[in-house]
Amino acid sequence: MQKFLAPIQHARGISLIAAATTLFLTVFLTGCDKPASTPGAATGPIKVGEFASMTGSEATFGQSSHEGTLLAVDHLNAAGGVLGRKMELLMEDDQSQAGQPATVVRKLIARDGVVAVLGEVASSRSLEAAPICQQSQIPMISPSSTNPKVTAVGDYIFRVCFIDPFQGTVMANFARHTLHLKKVAVLTDVKSDYSLGLAKFFKEGFIADGGAIVAEQNYSSGDKDFSAQLTALKAVNPDGIFVPGYYTEVGLIALQARQLGLNVPLLGGDGWESSSLIPIGGVSLEGSYFSTHYSPEDTSAAVQDFVKAFRAKYNETPNAMAALGYDSAMILADAMKRAGTTDGAKVRDALAATKDFQGVTGKITMDADRNASKPAVILAIRDGQFKYVETVSP
Ligand code: PHE
């Protein structure tokens, strides 16, 4: 018996190895390259992936962006879909955590077979996922990541928003020429590509405008106590403080600055925009300003139609991330229609050729670096609300 059993076990061993090898090849090779389902398959819904911070420290970013994206998909499907097919949005929560974007985007591409990816809001998380989309030849559109490095990852990576060299200059000019500030301090989140980039571009712009950067301090995302940095900033007596961070830390920084008797205006960028900012920072934020992508007070038909539809669906007023999320899905659909296919390379070419697309956040034209050149909006915080101040064109 033994003699007969041995070859049988051996054969089983081989088939197990073969099965394991097939599994390995399927999971890893298709995982790194093309999805299991054919991207150009012309039947069934068009699967589009989205990755967003639905929970964690930037939860409002993902939630707002997702609501806007979903509204766009509703509108597209109500109007007959894309290429005669329904668009299906597969959303993954990356929990605002480093490491998660790569995991969930790999899953969307390899397991779910999405033909394009929408996301992320935050630049560091877009930067983490972009190389995976690029290698897989799956177009990725970030609705709102503004750091220049994001689209520099490769020719499959796009965004529908402006970039931080522009945003930083806009706030520098506003600080120098509208608020007439001369001496500004900067408080940067060194864990965030967005914060590091925006701080740099603001400083360059403010100095070019004849202002002085009188102090610089750093913090890390997740910090709760900023008293050491704020005490150091107070000592140099600045006219204002530029805080290019995200809302959770910005709210706490505003509170602690006022507690220390530091009462100069705080300035920031789009990372301030959250329905949680004022609940965290309260009256400490009065008289502060930040730049962003859009204002619901804009009277144009594109904005007002969107605001109306968004309110009808969610019973709340859409912010910039919601508007950009909406635009990201609409731009993708437009490119697929012009390409006549969902094939990655052809959609990439159509996206690159996007010209004068009327979005909610303005006219969108992709430049040679796959960025959109668009106006910025400055908002003030007054009476516990975001108030439109002005629009600045590039
Ligand atoms: N621009 C920010 C970033 O790149 C993200 C953001 C966009 C935050 C819009 C709020 C509103 O990280």
Side-chain angles (χ1 to χ4, degrees):
M1 283 297 278
Q2 286 292 351
K3 269 183 188 165
F4 290 103
L5 266 179
I8 291 167
Q9 278 174 345
H10 185 58
R12 270 198 198 141
I14 287 173
S15 68
L16 272 179
I17 288 166
T21 309
T22 311
L23 192 68
F24 173 87
L25 290 176
T26 312
V27 171
F28 288 89
L29 294 186
T30 60
C32 299
D33 191 11
K34 286 283 177 179
S37 69
T38 352
T43 52
I46 296 176
K47 288 187 189 175
V48 173
E50 184 198 2
F51 67 119
S53 54
M54 299 297 285
T55 55
S57 51
E58 282 94 50
T60 73
F61 286 176
Q63 291 163 3
S64 298
S65 188
H66 177 59
E67 286 179 343
T69 310
L70 206 55
L71 181 64
V73 173
D74 284 358
H75 283 176
L76 288 164
N77 287 339
V82 179
L83 304 174
R85 298 161 64 192
K86 289 255 180 273
M87 191 183 263
E88 186 190 344
L89 191 66
L90 286 82
M91 201 275 297
E92 291 285 337
D93 175 15
D94 62 33
Q95 303 162 33
S96 307
Q97 264 174 40
Q100 286 300 312
T103 306
V104 299
V105 166
R106 253 187 216 114
K107 173 189 173 286
L108 284 168
I109 296 174
R111 201 169 340 143
D112 300 330
V114 300
V115 295
V117 169
L118 303 175
E120 229 261 11
V121 171
S123 289
S124 295
R125 290 192 281 274
S126 287
L127 278 165
E128 191 184 309
I132 297 162
C133 293
Q134 179 67 29
Q135 272 164 27
S136 313
Q137 300 177 321
I138 294 293
M140 168 178 145
I141 308 175
S142 167
S144 46
S145 290
T146 46
N147 186 282
K149 291 186 287 184
V150 172
T151 47
V153 167
D155 60 353
Y156 279 84
I157 317 299
F158 297 83
R159 75 180 107 216
V160 296
C161 56
F162 54 64
I163 54 174
D164 288 330
F166 171 65
Q167 177 167 219
T169 310
V170 165
M171 278 318 276
N173 291 345
F174 182 76
R176 185 71 196 96
H177 301 305
T178 304
L179 300 179
H180 304 292
L181 307 184
K182 290 200 184 85
K183 302 183 299 171
V184 168
V186 180
L187 184 49
T188 307
D189 177 353
V190 289
K191 286 272 177 64
S192 154
D193 293 286
Y194 160 75
S195 193
L196 285 163
L198 192 52
K200 171 178 180 280
F201 302 120
F202 173 87
K203 286 187 279 180
E204 289 171 2
F206 195 66
I207 291 167
D209 282 344
I213 302 297
V214 290
E216 289 182 52
Q217 288 286 321
N218 295 330
Y219 67 93
S220 298
S221 323
D223 284 356
K224 302 251 176 318
D225 180 3
F226 304 89
S227 49
Q229 293 94 323
L230 291 167
T231 303
L233 296 186
K234 192 179 178 214
V236 298
N237 204 16
D239 303 332
I241 307 173
F242 186 61
V243 192
Y246 293 149
Y247 63 92
T248 304
E249 288 84 5
V250 169
L252 294 173
I253 287 167
L255 276 177
Q256 293 172 24
R258 303 320 181 211
Q259 278 161 7
L260 286 166
L262 195 48
N263 290 318
V264 295
L266 303 181
L267 309 172
D270 54 353
W272 284 34
E273 185 154 3
S274 166
S275 55
S276 295
L277 177 69
I278 292 172
I280 298 171
V283 290
S284 303
L285 289 157
E286 288 291 309
S288 295
Y289 297 88
F290 65 98
S291 50
T292 187
H293 306 262
Y294 129 112
S295 163
E297 293 177 56
D298 186 328
T299 54
S300 72
V303 170
Q304 286 314 312
D305 289 351
F306 169 69
V307 168
K308 206 171 141 208
F310 193 94
R311 282 190 180 138
K313 184 169 165 82
Y314 301 109
N315 200 22
E316 64 187 63
T317 301
N319 61 17
M321 281 144 291
L324 288 165
Y326 185 90
D327 283 350
S328 69
M330 285 300 191
I331 285 266
L332 175 64
D334 176 67
M336 284 175 174
K337 286 177 193 165
R338 281 185 288 110
T341 169
T342 60
D343 173 72
K346 296 211 171 88
V347 172
R348 172 202 60 187
D349 292 344
L351 279 169
T354 302
K355 201 173 180 303
D356 288 335
F357 178 89
Q358 183 59 61
V360 172
T361 57
K363 274 220 174 91
I364 299 168
T365 297
M366 285 298 163
D367 69 15
D369 300 317
R370 297 165 302 283
N371 303 319
S373 168
K374 288 157 71 194
V377 166
I378 296 178
L379 301 181
I381 301 175
R382 242 178 259 137
D383 304 324
Q385 283 179 329
F386 297 161
K387 300 273 193 215
Y388 174 80
V389 177
E390 64 180 16
T391 300
V392 185
S393 293

